[in-house]
């Protein structure tokens, strides 16, 4: 996704480790992004608004404030995509960052290829959202028409129950993004059901049986162990 000079996306790196900042900057600039950087959370919040950044890459262990708090404050006034880079590998840390509003999470150490794939997906989703919500989604043999509420697989219409459809719709509107159990429960079942994660397991299993060739080895409806689910992004 090399951007042209007229439409270069702006990325802001909020990271206090100089070597990692340099590594990430080089990777992003190789893709034609305009890159800015800072080492503190407070300055990152200021710069995100001033620069009108298209993407933030945020470390959680910042010297002045926790990265999760940076994301929370940012989300009050901005929907800019946020990718977390952190040495914190516990599922609880990932869930906290994603629930605060992060779009994706990479654990250090990470590869350049994986980072750039996540960056491309985040910017593509953001630009798609700017032009309005998805009306159609296509990935391999799976097609979802969100206007007609019609789902097909290998050109055959698939009947979904209302809850199965709402769950799939939530994943489609966030394709490529990890959705935590709580996020999906709030969106599909409502805020009173945020502790009922067994609902998701039951309905996700039903969706996979209807949409995946091999439900035990899903290609579209992916599990993020201990965190939630993700619909594969049509890259």
């Amino acid at each position: 996704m090399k951007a042209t000079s007229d439409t270069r996306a702006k990325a802001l790196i909020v990271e206090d480790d100089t070597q990692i900042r340099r590594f990430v900057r080089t990777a992003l600039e190789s893709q034609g992004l305009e890159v800015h950087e800072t080492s503190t959370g407070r300055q990152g919040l200021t710069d995100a608004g001033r620069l009108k950044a298209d993407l933030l890459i945020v470390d959680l262990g910042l010297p002045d404030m926790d990265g999760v708090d940076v994301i929370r404050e940012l989300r009050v006034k901005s929907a800019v995509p946020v990718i977390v880079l952190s040495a914190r590998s516990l599922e609880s840390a990932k869930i906290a960052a994603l629930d605060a509003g992060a779009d994706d999470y990479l654990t250090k150490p990470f590869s350049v290829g994986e980072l750039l794939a996540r960056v491309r997906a985040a910017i593509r989703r953001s630009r798609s959202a700017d032009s309005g919500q998805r009306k159609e989604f296509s990935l391999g043999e799976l097609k979802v028409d969100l206007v007609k509420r019609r789902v097909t697989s290998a050109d055959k219409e698939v009947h979904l129950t209302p809850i199965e459809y709402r769950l799939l719709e939530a994943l489609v509107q966030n394709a490529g993004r990890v959705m935590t159990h709580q996020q999906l429960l709030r969106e599909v079942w409502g805020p009173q059901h945020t502790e009922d994660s067994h609902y998701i397991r039951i309905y996700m299993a039903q969706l996979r049986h209807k949409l995946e060739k091999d439900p035990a080895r899903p290609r579209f409806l992916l599990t993020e162990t201990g965190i939630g689910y993700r619909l594969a992004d049509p890259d």
Side-chain angles (χ1 to χ4, degrees):
M1 181 212 74
K2 282 208 176 186
T4 67
S5 58
D6 294 326
T7 60
R8 284 208 303 166
K10 293 180 184 176
L12 174 62
I13 305 166
V14 186
E15 165 69 68
D16 64 327
D17 186 309
T18 305
Q19 287 189 325
I20 292 178
R21 277 207 315 273
R22 187 179 300 124
F23 172 76
V24 173
R25 181 182 195 115
T26 300
L28 297 183
E29 288 180 339
S30 75
Q31 299 295 294
L33 275 73
E34 177 183 328
V35 183
H36 301 264
E37 56 185 79
T38 184
S39 60
T40 67
R42 192 57 60 194
Q43 189 61 48
L45 287 167
T46 300
D47 289 350
R50 178 178 61 82
L51 296 168
K52 294 184 171 55
D54 298 291
L55 171 73
L56 263 67
I57 294 181
V58 179
D59 180 30
L60 296 185
L62 297 167
D64 60 331
M65 60 190 298
D66 194 280
V68 171
D69 293 326
V70 172
I71 298 165
R72 249 187 227 112
E73 287 196 33
L74 181 72
R75 283 291 172 255
V76 172
K77 53 190 175 183
S78 175
V80 62
V82 175
I83 297 176
V84 169
L85 301 182
S86 179
R88 300 177 191 174
S89 58
L90 291 177
E91 288 174 0
S92 57
K94 297 179 182 181
I95 291 169
L98 292 165
D99 277 340
D103 294 83
D104 212 336
Y105 194 111
L106 277 175
T107 304
K108 300 173 183 175
F110 51 87
S111 70
V112 172
E114 185 176 15
L115 170 64
L116 293 179
R118 305 290 182 99
V119 167
R120 287 192 296 270
I123 292 176
R124 185 171 55 249
R125 286 196 302 272
S126 178
R127 289 178 171 172
S128 175
D130 287 344
S131 61
Q133 284 197 319
R134 290 179 188 267
K135 294 181 180 177
E136 293 183 345
F137 176 84
S138 180
L139 179 61
E141 63 266 27
L142 174 64
K143 292 180 174 54
V144 183
D145 185 327
L146 294 163
V147 176
K148 296 179 180 178
R149 298 172 67 88
R150 185 169 181 263
V151 180
T152 59
S153 179
D155 296 323
K156 294 181 181 179
E157 188 161 359
V158 180
H159 173 73
L160 300 182
T161 68
I163 289 181
E164 288 170 352
Y165 180 82
R166 287 205 302 272
L167 179 57
L168 178 62
E169 182 181 33
L171 291 164
V172 165
Q173 294 293 3
N174 294 276
R177 178 183 178 185
V178 180
M179 298 287 286
T180 67
H181 295 119
Q182 286 201 341
Q183 287 169 337
L184 286 169
L185 285 164
R186 277 196 300 268
E187 196 156 333
V188 179
W189 284 272
Q192 70 273 25
H193 291 287
T194 54
E195 301 302 318
D196 299 324
S197 58
H198 61 284
Y199 287 2
I200 301 178
R201 288 195 298 273
I202 293 168
Y203 283 95
M204 186 60 69
Q206 292 174 189
L207 270 182
R208 283 174 170 161
H209 277 285
K210 291 182 177 183
L211 301 178
E212 299 277 6
K213 281 187 176 178
D214 183 356
R217 299 173 187 237
R219 293 186 300 134
F220 307 138
L221 301 162
L222 308 176
T223 299
E224 296 287 339
T225 305
I227 299 170
Y229 296 93
R230 174 170 57 89
L231 181 63
D233 192 59
D235 195 350

Short mmCIF file of all heavy atoms in Angstrom, two decimals, residues 56-92:
data_model
loop_
_atom_site.label_atom_id
_atom_site.label_comp_id
_atom_site.label_asym_id
_atom_site.label_seq_id
_atom_site.Cartn_x
_atom_site.Cartn_y
_atom_site.Cartn_z
N LEU A 56 -1.98 5.70 14.79
CA LEU A 56 -1.08 5.79 15.94
C LEU A 56 -0.54 4.40 16.25
O LEU A 56 -1.29 3.42 16.23
CB LEU A 56 -1.80 6.33 17.17
CG LEU A 56 -1.64 7.83 17.46
CD1 LEU A 56 -2.33 8.65 16.39
CD2 LEU A 56 -2.19 8.18 18.84
N ILE A 57 0.74 4.34 16.54
CA ILE A 57 1.37 3.12 17.03
C ILE A 57 1.85 3.44 18.44
O ILE A 57 2.68 4.33 18.63
CB ILE A 57 2.52 2.68 16.11
CG1 ILE A 57 1.94 2.27 14.75
CG2 ILE A 57 3.31 1.55 16.74
CD1 ILE A 57 2.95 1.80 13.76
N VAL A 58 1.29 2.75 19.42
CA VAL A 58 1.46 3.15 20.82
C VAL A 58 2.05 2.01 21.65
O VAL A 58 1.56 0.88 21.62
CB VAL A 58 0.10 3.57 21.43
CG1 VAL A 58 0.25 3.96 22.89
CG2 VAL A 58 -0.51 4.73 20.64
N ASP A 59 3.09 2.34 22.43
CA ASP A 59 3.64 1.42 23.41
C ASP A 59 2.81 1.57 24.69
O ASP A 59 2.29 2.65 24.98
CB ASP A 59 5.11 1.78 23.68
CG ASP A 59 5.75 0.87 24.71
OD1 ASP A 59 5.34 -0.31 24.80
OD2 ASP A 59 6.65 1.33 25.43
N LEU A 60 2.67 0.50 25.47
CA LEU A 60 1.92 0.59 26.72
C LEU A 60 2.77 1.10 27.87
O LEU A 60 2.28 1.77 28.78
CB LEU A 60 1.31 -0.77 27.08
CG LEU A 60 0.26 -1.32 26.12
CD1 LEU A 60 -0.34 -2.61 26.68
CD2 LEU A 60 -0.83 -0.30 25.84
N GLY A 61 4.08 0.80 27.85
CA GLY A 61 4.95 1.17 28.96
C GLY A 61 5.63 2.50 28.75
O GLY A 61 6.86 2.56 28.62
N LEU A 62 4.86 3.57 28.73
CA LEU A 62 5.41 4.90 28.50
C LEU A 62 5.87 5.52 29.82
O LEU A 62 5.35 5.16 30.89
CB LEU A 62 4.37 5.79 27.82
CG LEU A 62 3.94 5.31 26.42
CD1 LEU A 62 2.69 6.05 25.96
CD2 LEU A 62 5.08 5.49 25.43
N PRO A 63 6.80 6.46 29.79
CA PRO A 63 7.36 6.99 31.04
C PRO A 63 6.41 7.87 31.84
O PRO A 63 6.54 7.95 33.06
CB PRO A 63 8.58 7.80 30.56
CG PRO A 63 8.30 8.13 29.14
CD PRO A 63 7.51 6.97 28.60
N ASP A 64 5.45 8.52 31.18
CA ASP A 64 4.60 9.47 31.91
C ASP A 64 3.19 8.96 32.19
O ASP A 64 2.53 9.45 33.11
CB ASP A 64 4.52 10.80 31.15
CG ASP A 64 3.93 10.64 29.76
OD1 ASP A 64 4.08 9.56 29.17
OD2 ASP A 64 3.33 11.61 29.27
N MET A 65 2.70 8.01 31.39
CA MET A 65 1.36 7.47 31.61
C MET A 65 1.24 6.13 30.89
O MET A 65 2.00 5.84 29.97
CB MET A 65 0.28 8.45 31.11
CG MET A 65 0.36 8.78 29.63
SD MET A 65 -0.72 10.17 29.12
CE MET A 65 -2.34 9.52 29.50
N ASP A 66 0.31 5.33 31.36
CA ASP A 66 0.12 4.01 30.74
C ASP A 66 -0.49 4.18 29.36
O ASP A 66 -1.37 5.02 29.15
CB ASP A 66 -0.80 3.15 31.62
CG ASP A 66 -0.77 1.69 31.21
OD1 ASP A 66 -1.44 1.34 30.24
OD2 ASP A 66 -0.05 0.91 31.86
N GLY A 67 -0.04 3.35 28.42
CA GLY A 67 -0.56 3.42 27.06
C GLY A 67 -2.06 3.19 26.98
O GLY A 67 -2.73 3.75 26.11
N VAL A 68 -2.60 2.37 27.89
CA VAL A 68 -4.05 2.14 27.89
C VAL A 68 -4.78 3.45 28.18
O VAL A 68 -5.83 3.75 27.58
CB VAL A 68 -4.44 1.06 28.93
CG1 VAL A 68 -5.95 0.98 29.09
CG2 VAL A 68 -3.88 -0.29 28.50
N ASP A 69 -4.24 4.27 29.08
CA ASP A 69 -4.85 5.57 29.38
C ASP A 69 -4.74 6.52 28.19
O ASP A 69 -5.63 7.34 27.95
CB ASP A 69 -4.21 6.19 30.62
CG ASP A 69 -4.51 5.39 31.87
OD1 ASP A 69 -5.62 4.82 31.96
OD2 ASP A 69 -3.64 5.31 32.76
N VAL A 70 -3.63 6.42 27.45
CA VAL A 70 -3.48 7.23 26.24
C VAL A 70 -4.60 6.89 25.26
O VAL A 70 -5.25 7.79 24.70
CB VAL A 70 -2.11 6.97 25.57
CG1 VAL A 70 -2.03 7.67 24.21
CG2 VAL A 70 -0.98 7.45 26.47
N ILE A 71 -4.85 5.60 25.07
CA ILE A 71 -5.88 5.17 24.13
C ILE A 71 -7.25 5.64 24.60
O ILE A 71 -8.06 6.15 23.81
CB ILE A 71 -5.86 3.63 23.97
CG1 ILE A 71 -4.53 3.19 23.39
CG2 ILE A 71 -7.02 3.15 23.09
CD1 ILE A 71 -4.26 1.70 23.53
N ARG A 72 -7.52 5.50 25.91
CA ARG A 72 -8.81 5.92 26.45
C ARG A 72 -9.06 7.42 26.21
O ARG A 72 -10.13 7.82 25.78
CB ARG A 72 -8.85 5.63 27.95
CG ARG A 72 -9.81 4.53 28.27
CD ARG A 72 -10.01 4.31 29.75
NE ARG A 72 -9.91 2.89 30.03
CZ ARG A 72 -8.95 2.31 30.71
NH1 ARG A 72 -7.97 3.03 31.22
NH2 ARG A 72 -8.94 1.02 30.90
N GLU A 73 -8.04 8.24 26.50
CA GLU A 73 -8.19 9.68 26.31
C GLU A 73 -8.35 10.02 24.84
O GLU A 73 -9.12 10.91 24.46
CB GLU A 73 -6.99 10.42 26.90
CG GLU A 73 -6.98 10.45 28.41
CD GLU A 73 -6.02 11.49 28.98
OE1 GLU A 73 -5.83 12.55 28.33
OE2 GLU A 73 -5.45 11.24 30.05
N LEU A 74 -7.61 9.33 24.00
CA LEU A 74 -7.70 9.57 22.56
C LEU A 74 -9.10 9.27 22.04
O LEU A 74 -9.65 10.02 21.22
CB LEU A 74 -6.68 8.69 21.83
CG LEU A 74 -6.61 8.83 20.31
CD1 LEU A 74 -5.98 10.16 19.93
CD2 LEU A 74 -5.82 7.67 19.71
N ARG A 75 -9.70 8.19 22.55
CA ARG A 75 -11.00 7.77 22.05
C ARG A 75 -12.14 8.74 22.41
O ARG A 75 -13.21 8.70 21.80
CB ARG A 75 -11.34 6.37 22.58
CG ARG A 75 -10.59 5.28 21.83
CD ARG A 75 -11.10 5.14 20.39
NE ARG A 75 -10.27 4.23 19.60
CZ ARG A 75 -9.41 4.61 18.68
NH1 ARG A 75 -9.23 5.90 18.42
NH2 ARG A 75 -8.71 3.73 17.99
N VAL A 76 -11.91 9.61 23.37
CA VAL A 76 -12.92 10.61 23.72
C VAL A 76 -13.17 11.54 22.54
O VAL A 76 -14.28 12.01 22.32
CB VAL A 76 -12.48 11.42 24.96
CG1 VAL A 76 -13.44 12.58 25.21
CG2 VAL A 76 -12.43 10.51 26.18
N LYS A 77 -12.12 11.80 21.74
CA LYS A 77 -12.26 12.79 20.67
C LYS A 77 -11.84 12.29 19.29
O LYS A 77 -11.95 13.04 18.32
CB LYS A 77 -11.43 14.03 21.01
CG LYS A 77 -9.98 13.74 21.34
CD LYS A 77 -9.30 14.97 21.90
CE LYS A 77 -7.87 14.65 22.35
NZ LYS A 77 -7.20 15.80 22.96
N SER A 78 -11.38 11.05 19.17
CA SER A 78 -10.89 10.60 17.87
C SER A 78 -11.10 9.10 17.67
O SER A 78 -11.01 8.32 18.61
CB SER A 78 -9.39 10.91 17.75
OG SER A 78 -8.85 10.37 16.55
N ALA A 79 -11.39 8.73 16.41
CA ALA A 79 -11.53 7.32 16.04
C ALA A 79 -10.33 6.84 15.24
O ALA A 79 -10.39 5.80 14.59
CB ALA A 79 -12.81 7.12 15.23
N VAL A 80 -9.22 7.59 15.27
CA VAL A 80 -8.02 7.22 14.51
C VAL A 80 -7.57 5.80 14.89
O VAL A 80 -7.60 5.43 16.07
CB VAL A 80 -6.89 8.24 14.76
CG1 VAL A 80 -6.48 8.28 16.22
CG2 VAL A 80 -5.67 7.94 13.88
N PRO A 81 -7.19 4.98 13.92
CA PRO A 81 -6.75 3.61 14.24
C PRO A 81 -5.52 3.62 15.16
O PRO A 81 -4.62 4.45 14.99
CB PRO A 81 -6.38 3.03 12.88
CG PRO A 81 -7.12 3.84 11.88
CD PRO A 81 -7.21 5.22 12.46
N VAL A 82 -5.51 2.69 16.11
CA VAL A 82 -4.40 2.56 17.05
C VAL A 82 -3.91 1.11 17.05
O VAL A 82 -4.70 0.18 17.26
CB VAL A 82 -4.82 2.94 18.48
CG1 VAL A 82 -3.67 2.68 19.47
CG2 VAL A 82 -5.25 4.40 18.56
N ILE A 83 -2.62 0.95 16.80
CA ILE A 83 -1.99 -0.36 16.93
C ILE A 83 -1.05 -0.32 18.12
O ILE A 83 -0.20 0.57 18.22
CB ILE A 83 -1.19 -0.74 15.66
CG1 ILE A 83 -2.13 -0.85 14.44
CG2 ILE A 83 -0.44 -2.05 15.87
CD1 ILE A 83 -1.41 -1.11 13.14
N VAL A 84 -1.22 -1.25 19.04
CA VAL A 84 -0.39 -1.31 20.23
C VAL A 84 0.82 -2.20 19.95
O VAL A 84 0.69 -3.29 19.39
CB VAL A 84 -1.19 -1.87 21.43
CG1 VAL A 84 -0.26 -2.20 22.59
CG2 VAL A 84 -2.26 -0.88 21.86
N LEU A 85 2.00 -1.71 20.34
CA LEU A 85 3.22 -2.52 20.35
C LEU A 85 3.66 -2.62 21.80
O LEU A 85 3.92 -1.59 22.43
CB LEU A 85 4.33 -1.87 19.53
CG LEU A 85 4.06 -1.60 18.05
CD1 LEU A 85 5.31 -0.99 17.40
CD2 LEU A 85 3.68 -2.87 17.32
N SER A 86 3.72 -3.81 22.33
CA SER A 86 4.05 -3.91 23.75
C SER A 86 4.75 -5.21 24.09
O SER A 86 4.56 -6.23 23.43
CB SER A 86 2.77 -3.80 24.59
OG SER A 86 3.07 -3.91 25.97
N ALA A 87 5.57 -5.15 25.14
CA ALA A 87 6.22 -6.35 25.65
C ALA A 87 5.28 -7.11 26.57
O ALA A 87 5.57 -8.24 26.96
CB ALA A 87 7.49 -5.97 26.42
N ARG A 88 4.13 -6.52 26.92
CA ARG A 88 3.16 -7.19 27.79
C ARG A 88 2.43 -8.26 26.97
O ARG A 88 1.69 -7.95 26.05
CB ARG A 88 2.14 -6.19 28.34
CG ARG A 88 2.76 -5.08 29.17
CD ARG A 88 1.70 -4.09 29.63
NE ARG A 88 2.29 -2.89 30.19
CZ ARG A 88 1.59 -1.82 30.56
NH1 ARG A 88 0.28 -1.82 30.43
NH2 ARG A 88 2.21 -0.75 31.05
N SER A 89 2.66 -9.51 27.34
CA SER A 89 2.10 -10.61 26.56
C SER A 89 0.89 -11.27 27.21
O SER A 89 0.26 -12.14 26.61
CB SER A 89 3.18 -11.67 26.31
OG SER A 89 3.68 -12.16 27.54
N LEU A 90 0.54 -10.87 28.43
CA LEU A 90 -0.60 -11.48 29.11
C LEU A 90 -1.89 -11.12 28.38
O LEU A 90 -2.06 -10.01 27.87
CB LEU A 90 -0.68 -10.98 30.56
CG LEU A 90 0.41 -11.47 31.51
CD1 LEU A 90 0.24 -10.83 32.87
CD2 LEU A 90 0.38 -13.00 31.64
N GLU A 91 -2.82 -12.08 28.34
CA GLU A 91 -4.09 -11.82 27.68
C GLU A 91 -4.82 -10.65 28.31
O GLU A 91 -5.49 -9.87 27.63
CB GLU A 91 -4.96 -13.08 27.74
CG GLU A 91 -4.46 -14.19 26.82
CD GLU A 91 -5.23 -15.48 26.99
OE1 GLU A 91 -6.16 -15.51 27.83
OE2 GLU A 91 -4.90 -16.47 26.30
N SER A 92 -4.70 -10.50 29.64
CA SER A 92 -5.40 -9.41 30.32
C SER A 92 -4.92 -8.05 29.82
O SER A 92 -5.72 -7.11 29.71
CB SER A 92 -5.18 -9.51 31.84
OG SER A 92 -3.80 -9.49 32.16
#
